[in-house]
Amino acid sequence: MATPEELAVIEKAKVLMVGAGGIGCELLKTLALTGFKDIHLIDLDTIEVSNLNRQFLFRKQHVGQSKAKVARDAVLKFKPDIKIEAHHANVKNSDFDVEFFKQFNVVLNGLDNVDARRHVNRLCLAAGVPLVESGSTGYLGQVTVHVKDQTECYECQTKELPKTYPVCTITNTPSKPVHCIVWAKDLLFARLFGDRNQSSDLIVHTNDRTSSAATADTDFFNIKDGETPESYACRVFDGVFGDNIEVALRNEETWKSRKRPRPLYICEVYSDAKKPRIDGSCNSPDGNDKHTASAARILGLSNPQEVWTVRDSANVFLKALELLLNTRQKDIGSLVFDKDDQLAMEFVTAAANLRSSCFDIPMQSLFEAKGIAGNIVHAIATTNAIISGLIVLEAIKLLMGNLDDCRTTYCLEYPRRKMLLMPAELSAPKSSCYVCSQSTLLLEVNTTMTRLREVVEKIVRGQLSVNSPMISQGPCLIYETGDDLEEDMVTQYNQNLEKFLDSLPAPIVDGSILSIEDFQQEFTCHLQIKHREIFDEEKEPDNMVLSGKLSTTRDQALPGSVQLTAVADNVSIHAVDDDDEVILIDEVAKQDLKRKVLDEESVIVCGKRQRTEVS
Amino acid sequence: MEEVAVEALTEQEAAVYDRQIRVWGVEAQRRLSRAHVLVIGMSNVLTELCKNIVLAGIGSLTLMEDAPSVSTVMNTSFLIPVEQIESDKSFLTECAESLKDFNPMVHVTVEKGSLEEKPDDFLNNFDVVVVGRSLLKYRMHVNSLCRKRGPKIAFLSVDCRGPLGEIFIDLQTHTYVLKAKENVPHSLQNLVYCSLEEAIAARWDRLPKKTTKLFYAMRIMEDFEQSNSRLPGQVTLDDLASVLDTRKRLCESQGMPETLVPDKLLHRLLYAEAREHPPVCAILGGILGQELLKVLSGKGEPLKNFFFFDPMDGKGITEEIPRPDDTPIIMQSAEIEI
Ligand SMILES: [Zn+2]
């Protein structure tokens, strides 16, 4: 029950919810029960079976339908007298411009990725609408408030992007299960079934150029005349787990400080027995369905939690490869790995395990491998319910004009200083923020060796999340996107994309300053270029380094406020899955969060304002 | 809990529960699917709880209307479509049908009649009994029945009064696995809880100074309701003067100054009357659900033994309230290496 004053603003408020997933379902229900009457809801996704354990507005029969629309219909059933407008669309769609955002009193995010969060952050800043941001993973969650010029914006804290691994770790020196899984899906799978022109080599070339791996041969992965799928599968096996590792071993330098891997050949796996004659026709009823075709099931390996032996893995590898060749002929050459493609996932698990066994890395179950390969977010209903309650409480404070009472709240798995829900005060905007304070960013790049395309893709779109960029240097337009461009301009821009930075019509050299604008986001930022010749391939795989130009004065925090940067970073950062709400990728990060919360205990100011309970 | 042969989850279970199995593991999921929960009474916060544990995939949920002593306003529930409100089915039957629909793999049933009419061993059918807002006497009674019937029946209670909330947990004895930390391997932890009766008998002047004021405020409300024959929640701001008298009497007898519990806090509790604040119900239902899952799965340390939430300061606080005797801490943890 809200107070009459609260209820008055709640009933008049027009709110925008972005995301109708785990947090979104809970939030829409809680908003409706609290008395909100005018709600817009945007979500691009459709419902999947794995949503049903927590996205309680959805039922099995809704799988495949729009989340936004089904959620609206479900809530209207118990609250028919309110207005809910559902948009089955991407929030980055140009319909949702600054004008659209301006009609709302508050925006509530229940999103699953950093890119969309940044986009909404910029639109909220441009429209001057307060934003309640949220995220959850497992038992952990966070809710916070962003108000233009008053608090930090979502991008004041630098966000780590999803982890990427140096190519040579993946191709030559894996040391963790994830390295082998990335190798199996991004290199091997792509090489065998995807577009071969796009995929990179499976192995880093040795110093000894004459003895490169057999798999480097462009023809290696082609099926030879008269070769059966089975013998092809065996040849690939020996090539990637045997010969390739032999070649890698020749690079003595690499193994001075590392454990030497052991090549694995088919004949060793089956030395004491014949290869099992696998019955189970490829034309069995479930042989063709993308979601049910399964080599593991044919082999009697029905428990996805079980870790296969090397022999099991070899069996699955051979069988899955054979099945893929036989049942997906049309798609070979254009298959893209999808964690929900059962056969593809089995193949990747088997291949990753075989590679793990060569490198003495623990093997993984199909279930675990799927989690790693798909970057699946751990998610439970209870945390999302708690988060939805916290979001509504913050929204009410904002609508009442009590920004001073707003908090960032951390939802913890175990109490810290007796608290399971831990509030912290909001921070002031950071003057070094390139989004809300328009500070200049610094881009270190080799201007003679880097094409404009790489800067646009990796930096402007990738790291800065600019949706439809316009890039200029002084009065010269260098690049622009949009539907209404003249044809000759499009040609010109496409040519520019392929040029090296220093040979553009308006050359980009050391000291150049670029303006990057996005009209939809009403976003502008400035990029100062610093020419640099050499980059560390391991640590700087993009061959570019983007950094915030540090302001000379220290940021002024709100009086008494604390900077929970470490915690905030971990909890609102890594985005991940396709259907989920948030954040932390792994156990390590979770432990990290817990430790940091603990470490920061002494500085967290909670409920500093005691007036609340003093009569 | 009886031992059932370890078996793989069905494909349907594996698909639906995929994301949560990544949080608590298959073994915990199996234990959940064998757990039986009894919920007595119905309110917004209890519907939140029921939703959460049904989605999580417990074995069975039994709803029971008992607690003759409850006054709760439920204008709307997300469990019941408006068109069905006037139907001839009972409210609980409607709730049960809706919950079944959330997750067809959970058995949801309604138990008719009150606890008093049930045979002595009725509670033995359950691993957990949850009671909503009800008279203190009633909650203590159910708690003691759980203790009499078996050492393993957990008792939980929850009350949401306007924006303020309280959860109490008595697991009797509970063993859980403490995850390995640096240098310390997995170990079994053993907790010994006290009953609600024991917990609230603790003398206030012996409790830690920082104990949340809401703990005392709830005891004052209970005392007032009990001694004035009011149903819980059947109070208004008109009762403020009498409630302040109750505060005076209790604080004096407990050796504490009246200022222990601010007027404002009692004011807010009275203003709430029988209403519940939906966002706070979501929070309490989430915390309670989460703790219940920890209890049933044997994974992770459950809450000891009270939880309070007040949106005014935004803190969700756990309080260990000990027995009144000399036992300084109610929870004894004995480490056993596995
Ligand atoms: Zn900012």
Side-chain angles (χ1 to χ4, degrees), chain A residues 121 125 152-157 429-430 433-437:
Chain A
N121 180 50
L125 287 170
E152 280 188 339
C153 82
Y154 174 71
E155 294 170 271
C156 277
Q157 307 276 359
K430 274 212 173 22
C433 178
Y434 72 91
V435 179
C436 68
S437 299

Side-chain angles (χ1 to χ4, degrees), chain A residues 1 4 26 29 53 59 77-78 80 305 367 371 376 378 382 413-414 418-421 587 612-613, chain B residues 16 19-20 22 26 48 51 82 101-102 162 179 262 271 275-277 290 294 300 312 316 318-319:
Chain A
M1 41 74 68
E26 291 288 340
K29 170 261 303 169
N53 79 321
R59 302 286 172 272
K77 272 193 185 137
F78 68 82
Q305 310 288 336
F367 176 82
I376 293 176
H378 304 182
T382 48
E413 183 173 4
Y414 300 111
K418 298 204 305 188
M419 283 181 275
L420 276 173
L421 302 175
E587 211 58 31
T612 52
E613 280 184 1
Chain B
V16 172
R19 298 302 188 269
Q20 67 198 38
R22 294 179 192 283
V26 183
E48 290 279 352
K51 171 203 72 196
V82 166
D101 205 29
F102 284 0
K179 267 219 235 152
Y271 176 78
R275 293 165 296 200
E276 302 169 280
H277 195 22
Q290 197 154 299
K294 284 184 195 166
M312 200 73 106
T318 60
E319 292 287 359

Side-chain angles (χ1 to χ4, degrees), chain A residues 47-105:
Chain A
I47 297 158
E48 292 177 35
V49 174
S50 63
N51 301 151
L52 302 179
N53 79 321
R54 62 199 183 286
Q55 301 180 13
F56 76 101
L57 298 173
F58 309 146
R59 302 286 172 272
K60 215 170 172 190
Q61 68 265 24
H62 297 133
V63 169
Q65 297 180 35
S66 154
K67 285 188 175 179
K69 292 186 169 159
V70 174
R72 174 199 58 198
D73 294 348
V75 168
L76 286 178
K77 272 193 185 137
F78 68 82
K79 244 338 191 172
D81 54 338
I82 65 173
K83 203 177 118 200
I84 303 175
E85 196 155 326
H87 306 269
H88 180 203
N90 190 335
V91 69
K92 290 171 84 172
N93 189 312
S94 57
D95 293 344
F96 308 123
D97 55 8
V98 175
E99 281 311 306
F100 175 85
F101 272 71
K102 275 185 180 160
Q103 63 183 307
F104 299 103
N105 300 102

